[in-house]
Amino acid sequence: MLLLIEGPAGGGKSELLRELLAAGEIDLAADITELWAAVGGYERDPATGKYPVRRENDPALSAARYLQTVAAGFGLREGYKVAVSTSQRDQVSRWAEVATRHNSGMSVRTVDPGREVVAARLSDPVTGELSADCDAAISRWYR
């Protein structure tokens, strides 16, 4: 079974994946944020707990998306309950194809606490300002 967890950047998808893993509801989590950070060598800021701003043109993001698809396919072939995450809209058909290719069912869960909450989470903790890159990421979800 494939579970697609979708929602805006900063919406809480990674936290949900950790909860599902801890509860044994999924066997494998292919979290785009964690994969991107691993591929790019990015670490969370110790003071804020936030990763650097993720940009669409970052080569690490392309590599992470590839690895996410490979990991999901491997897990589905092995009969695992797999969850993947995305901050992009309109990804259901892409992941449905992956599930179908591996004779798996699929479900979708949207994690969206609302634009204001997301903006507050992605804002600079000192100034409260939202960077242009973070604003663009938010706008990709809330078109």
Side-chain angles (χ1 to χ4, degrees):
M1 178 60 113
L2 177 67
L3 170 61
L4 170 62
I5 299 175
E6 63 175 8
K13 298 175 300 296
S14 296
E15 181 179 346
L16 176 59
L17 283 168
R18 288 190 294 275
E19 291 171 3
L20 292 172
L21 276 170
E25 294 183 38
I26 58 173
D27 303 309
L28 187 146
D31 182 10
I32 194 63
T33 300
E34 299 296 331
L35 288 167
W36 163 79
V39 169
Y42 303 117
E43 295 183 13
R44 292 183 186 270
D45 181 299
T48 65
K50 296 179 183 180
Y51 283 113
V53 173
R54 185 170 70 210
R55 293 180 172 83
E56 280 299 310
N57 63 350
D58 184 345
L61 184 56
S62 296
R65 286 183 177 137
Y66 171 76
L67 290 173
Q68 184 183 40
T69 304
V70 170
F74 169 81
L76 293 172
R77 276 193 308 277
E78 295 298 313
Y80 296 164
K81 293 176 282 182
V82 176
V84 296
S85 64
T86 184
S87 296
Q88 294 181 304
R89 282 197 174 277
D90 306 321
Q91 294 295 299
V92 173
S93 61
R94 172 184 178 235
W95 288 106
E97 288 177 24
V98 172
T100 300
R101 192 167 46 245
H102 297 287
N103 300 313
S104 174
M106 182 181 140
S107 61
V108 179
R109 196 155 162 191
T110 302
V111 177
D112 186 354
R115 187 181 192 113
E116 294 77 26
V117 172
V118 170
R121 288 179 181 171
L122 296 180
S123 294
D124 183 282
V126 176
T127 66
E129 293 182 16
L130 190 63
S131 73
D133 287 320
C134 287
D135 188 50
I138 291 171
S139 295
R140 279 193 292 277
W141 182 260
Y142 299 105
R143 321 177 214 194

